[in-house]
Amino acid sequence: MAGPQHHRARYGRYAGGPDPLAPPVDLAEALDAIADDVMAGYSPERALREFLRRGGERQQGFDDLARRVQQRRRDLLNRHNLDGTFQQVKELLDKAVLAERKQLARDAMMDDDDRAFREMRLDNLPASTAAAVNELASYDWQSSDARESYEQIKDLLGRELLDQRFAGMKQALQSATDEDRQAVAEMLGDLNELLDKHRRGEDTPEDFDAFMAKHGEHFPENPRTVDELIDALAQRAAAAQRLLNSMTPEQRRELMELSAQAFGSASLMAQLDALDGNLQALRPGLDWTGSENFRGNEGMGLGDGTGVVQDLAELDALAEQLQQDYSGARASDIDVDAVMRQLGEDAAVSARTLAQLERALREGGLLRRSADGSLRLSPQAMRRLGKALLADAAKQLSARTGARDARTAGAAGEATGATRPWEFGDAQPWDVTRSLTNAILRTASEGGDPGAGVRLDVRDVEVVETEARTQSAVVLLVDTSYSMAAEGRWVPMKRTALALHHLVSTRFRGDQLQLIGFGRLAQSRSIDELTALPPVREQGTNLHHALLLAERFFAAHPSMDAVLLVVTDGEPTAHLESYGDAWFSWPPEPETIRRTVTQLDRVTRRGTRTTFFRLGDDPGLRHFLDQLADRVGGRVIAPELDDLGAAVVGEYLRFRRAGYDDLEWEA
């Protein structure tokens, strides 16, 4: 019988799709922030862009990443300078000259005239390191150590120059043999031949395949086409040219002189110059003329410096992507791999999360395109936001008065067909089928056997929602004069309207709600229109016109209990003339006050329950609203802005309770 088989599992870096360890996308926070901006007057498109720029409480935004990009760029420039290769060459030269002097001093067999001549050559070397290296090109070294150090100079220069064009070549050619160098020279010749043919349009895919089969080990990027090969080489070559442009004139002159000694072969520079010419002709759109201002203390070699210049270019590209100020910009445009390379894994997770969040908002039904192409909050988003705002209002009500959650529907009417989880204090009948189904599913999920019986838990119980016996026609008048925006009351006003709208549309579906905004003129508005309404800098608080529209709405629902809720921060300063224009005056004219009061009398003549919500501490407004409330048997509430939603919702529920006796609700 075969023995047991053992299987080994290998674990590696996850590379298949979204990061499973990335933090979840918080759509609730994003939607709340976007809705606040929309209610403050931003377009949904701009509000989305602003949230992505700011980020969330635990989520970095574009601005945070852009600051890190700029800091990374400053760090690179402040840390490095371009003297690295020159310093290495000078150290090797000094080492060679010192070793040669020691050899000359201890070589007793050397002719005195020869020794004197050699010492004179060493004593009279040019001050320029490059000139001294070239001066010693034909020197017959007596010291093997000195000769080795000088050869290291030529080897270093060759590897650095190649490393500028081919990343990693400096390390690959360390301790290289003459055969290795010959192979590189052959590769350069074949590469220039391929690029020449490509420039003339004479190359074929077979030419590229043959080149890669022969020299592919020099190209770790593993390009699949000649264009991919050119792109990789041209970006590196352009960075090398920008590095050269960043040097001082003295450094450039020294480098040109030293280049002649690279590998002891002038043909290397000829091949590299030809390569640069081919690449610049094939990719002229790259930045071949820019420069950087390196000012640090850490010297870089030519290859490393070229890599840093490429990093700087990548950082500049990231900065442009993060600005998102071009048409059609998306968070998915950001190169997450580049973010990972430059800023680390945490920044890459943030960039990826922002892209996922934007995609979820756009494709998940929370934002939608209207007929004119503009972006708007979808009905689903409005419902989610309204639910959250209503929950906040209910929490404030409960904390203030000990009331239950404001999610109760009518308790003594017809069933609505909907159910919900049972809560303490509910008097609605149980939905037995749904409750037993919940118990069976819970038992199975907890590992139990429903066939052996189930035990009903309070978590399983669902109750039947019912409509209340009474129905109400509710009018919410909200002040949309510019003072509401100027005093920071614009967004709380809209949040209040949205919370009340959600309560009526989901829990008291038999009620009818009308939203009316009044500034210089009044207008009935849908919740979508009111939510998206921007503040307009115009004078006028036309409560008279708003009451005219309220009277028309109540007349259209004569069998319903009338409820009038008025949110304002100023006395009436405008009224509607018979010809349809608004008359404005500050301070308020007696005619404006007279028409407003007369119209309020007409609205409340049918027993309308009325409440005024006064915002601010203006004495004139306080006196005026107190008089109106006394006149119509209403009342005035002066809530704090944060409590406005709870105050309006609570007042509506108070009126609903007054409409029937058997609804169990404590306010």
Side-chain angles (χ1 to χ4, degrees):
M1 183 174 64
Q5 295 183 346
H6 299 281
H7 300 278
R8 289 186 177 180
R10 288 189 175 183
Y11 298 90
R13 184 179 181 84
Y14 180 78
D19 184 356
L21 300 181
V25 175
D26 190 350
L27 287 181
E29 181 186 24
L31 180 60
D32 205 24
I34 291 170
D36 274 352
D37 282 346
V38 168
M39 288 190 280
Y42 287 11
S43 69
E45 182 74 49
R46 182 183 174 190
L48 172 59
R49 301 253 65 82
E50 286 298 316
F51 177 77
L52 294 175
R53 292 181 70 88
R54 293 192 307 262
E57 184 177 347
R58 294 177 299 277
Q59 169 66 48
Q60 288 185 320
F62 293 148
D63 288 347
D64 298 308
L65 295 176
R67 280 191 290 270
R68 293 180 62 179
V69 164
Q70 293 304 320
Q71 184 60 50
R72 163 83 170 150
R73 198 182 202 286
R74 287 192 296 270
D75 289 345
L76 289 174
L77 292 174
N78 292 333
R79 182 190 316 155
H80 298 295
N81 64 50
L82 304 181
D83 290 335
T85 297
F86 302 110
Q87 289 296 328
Q88 286 182 277
V89 171
K90 186 177 186 307
E91 290 171 5
L92 288 171
L93 178 64
D94 290 344
K95 182 179 178 181
V97 170
L98 179 60
E100 182 70 5
R101 289 185 185 279
K102 290 180 178 179
Q103 180 64 32
L104 294 176
R106 63 174 173 258
D107 191 348
M109 302 298 295
M110 179 175 290
D111 180 75
D112 289 342
D113 290 339
D114 187 23
R115 179 186 292 108
F117 176 73
R118 291 175 179 278
E119 288 176 345
M120 182 183 66
R121 287 192 65 179
L122 297 178
D123 291 340
N124 291 286
L125 286 174
S128 164
T129 300
V133 170
N134 287 328
E135 175 71 23
L136 294 172
S138 59
Y139 182 80
D140 180 19
W141 298 93
Q142 298 301 297
S143 167
S144 59
D145 291 340
R147 182 181 297 107
E148 181 181 353
S149 295
Y150 186 79
E151 291 298 324
Q152 287 177 5
I153 293 175
K154 296 191 291 184
D155 181 72
L156 172 67
L157 291 171
R159 291 189 293 120
E160 287 281 16
L161 290 171
L162 287 171
D163 202 43
Q164 279 194 290
R165 278 75 172 184
F166 308 92
M169 192 69 82
K170 180 179 179 180
Q171 289 74 25
L173 289 180
Q174 193 168 13
S175 303
T177 64
D178 290 339
E179 289 76 11
D180 295 329
R181 299 188 187 96
Q182 181 58 39
V184 170
E186 187 176 353
M187 180 271 291
L188 288 173
D190 291 346
L191 177 59
N192 278 319
E193 182 180 348
L194 175 65
L195 297 184
D196 280 334
K197 291 181 68 174
H198 188 73
R199 286 177 63 181
R200 298 191 302 270
E202 299 173 358
D203 65 317
T204 65
E206 289 73 22
D207 292 331
F208 171 75
D209 293 340
F211 174 82
M212 290 300 295
K214 185 177 180 181
H215 304 294
E217 71 273 9
H218 297 299
F219 303 94
E221 303 91 352
N222 194 28
R224 293 168 295 180
T225 65
V226 67
D227 283 314
E228 288 186 7
L229 173 65
I230 293 170
D231 286 338
L233 291 174
Q235 290 171 9
R236 183 82 176 176
Q241 183 60 51
R242 294 196 301 276
L243 181 72
L244 183 64
N245 300 341
S246 304
M247 293 180 177
T248 64
E250 293 78 10
Q251 287 174 322
R252 284 195 292 272
R253 185 171 55 253
E254 289 260 308
L255 181 59
M256 291 303 100
E257 293 179 13
L258 286 171
S259 298
Q261 298 301 325
F263 287 152
S265 171
S267 64
L268 173 65
M269 281 309 300
Q271 290 278 26
L272 292 178
D273 288 343
L275 175 62
D276 290 344
N278 279 323
L279 293 173
Q280 192 161 357
L282 289 166
R283 294 294 184 270
L286 295 178
D287 182 7
W288 297 88
T289 60
S291 62
E292 301 291 349
N293 181 23
F294 290 96
R295 47 190 176 269
N297 298 318
E298 186 178 314
M300 294 184 296
L302 299 178
D304 291 340
T306 300
V308 170
V309 172
Q310 281 190 291
D311 285 341
L312 293 172
E314 190 166 65
L315 289 168
D316 290 342
L318 281 176
E320 183 176 353
Q321 294 166 16
L322 290 167
Q323 285 179 353
Q324 296 276 293
D325 58 358
Y326 49 91
S327 177
R330 294 288 185 270
S332 56
D333 297 343
I334 296 170
D335 187 340
V336 177
D337 291 336
V339 174
M340 171 78 80
R341 286 191 295 270
Q342 299 299 334
L343 304 182
E345 187 170 356
D346 66 314
V349 169
S350 294
R352 191 179 296 111
T353 302
L354 289 172
Q356 292 171 349
L357 190 149
E358 182 185 36
R359 185 166 54 253
L361 287 169
R362 290 183 183 276
E363 300 176 2
L366 298 180
L367 297 174
R368 66 174 180 176
R369 290 284 175 189
S370 60
D372 61 3
S374 62
L375 201 64
R376 292 188 178 180
L377 295 176
S378 69
Q380 178 186 351
M382 298 292 288
R383 287 193 296 272
R384 286 186 60 166
L385 184 60
K387 181 179 180 180
L389 294 174
L390 180 58
D392 288 343
K395 187 182 299 183
Q396 288 177 297
L397 279 172
S398 299
R400 186 175 61 199
T401 63
R404 291 193 287 114
D405 190 331
R407 292 180 296 174
T408 261
E414 296 296 327
T416 66
T419 65
R420 61 176 174 80
W422 176 88
E423 296 176 354
F424 178 76
D426 279 333
Q428 288 89 340
W430 287 16
D431 186 311
V432 177
T433 302
R434 291 295 300 272
S435 299
L436 289 176
T437 300
N438 291 341
I440 293 170
L441 293 174
R442 178 184 52 77
T443 301
S445 67
E446 293 175 353
D449 180 10
V454 296
R455 182 181 295 275
L456 198 64
D457 188 276
V458 69
R459 295 171 294 173
D460 306 323
V461 178
E462 294 198 24
V463 296
V464 178
E465 287 191 345
T466 58
E467 293 284 2
R469 288 175 179 169
T470 61
Q471 293 181 323
S472 299
V474 185
V475 174
L476 177 63
L477 305 182
V478 290
D479 191 339
T480 57
S481 62
Y482 190 72
S483 62
M484 290 285 286
E487 298 297 329
R489 298 160 184 157
W490 194 257
V491 173
M493 172 270 290
K494 291 185 176 183
R495 293 172 71 91
T496 296
L498 192 51
L500 181 62
H501 176 271
H502 186 76
L503 176 62
V504 173
S505 61
T506 60
R507 299 300 173 185
F508 295 98
R509 299 182 183 91
D511 287 0
Q512 297 295 320
L513 173 65
Q514 181 71 45
L515 303 173
I516 299 174
F518 60 98
R520 194 179 190 89
L521 290 169
Q523 183 176 346
S524 298
R525 296 188 180 275
S526 68
I527 188 61
D528 291 354
E529 292 171 334
L530 182 61
T531 301
L533 182 68
V536 178
R537 190 182 291 273
E538 66 175 13
Q539 295 176 312
T541 304
N542 199 335
L543 181 58
H544 167 245
H545 189 192
L547 290 169
L548 282 169
L549 297 179
E551 181 187 17
R552 186 180 306 168
F553 178 76
F554 288 140
H557 302 86
S559 63
M560 293 185 175
D561 290 344
V563 175
L564 178 65
L565 307 171
V566 183
V567 177
T568 185
D569 72 345
E571 298 177 72
T573 57
H575 64 267
L576 194 67
E577 295 283 10
S578 58
Y579 48 82
D581 287 345
W583 175 271
F584 167 78
S585 175
W586 173 258
E589 288 192 352
E591 178 63 14
T592 297
I593 300 299
R594 185 190 68 79
R595 292 198 184 198
T596 301
V597 172
T598 300
Q599 186 58 38
L600 179 64
D601 288 343
R602 291 172 60 88
V603 170
T604 57
R605 187 177 303 157
R606 63 197 305 270
T608 304
R609 298 181 177 89
T610 305
T611 302
F612 299 94
F613 299 88
R614 174 172 55 81
L615 303 180
D617 298 318
D618 179 62
L621 177 63
R622 181 188 302 114
H623 178 69
F624 175 73
L625 293 183
D626 286 345
Q627 286 187 316
L628 288 186
D630 289 342
R631 184 182 183 90
V632 299
R635 66 174 185 162
V636 178
I637 298 176
E640 297 294 331
L641 277 181
D642 291 343
D643 200 37
L644 177 60
V648 171
V649 167
E651 194 70 358
Y652 165 70
L653 292 173
R654 185 176 72 87
F655 288 142
R656 290 296 276 110
R657 287 196 311 278
Y660 45 88
D661 298 327
D662 55 351
L663 176 59
E664 296 184 3
W665 180 279
E666 295 181 1

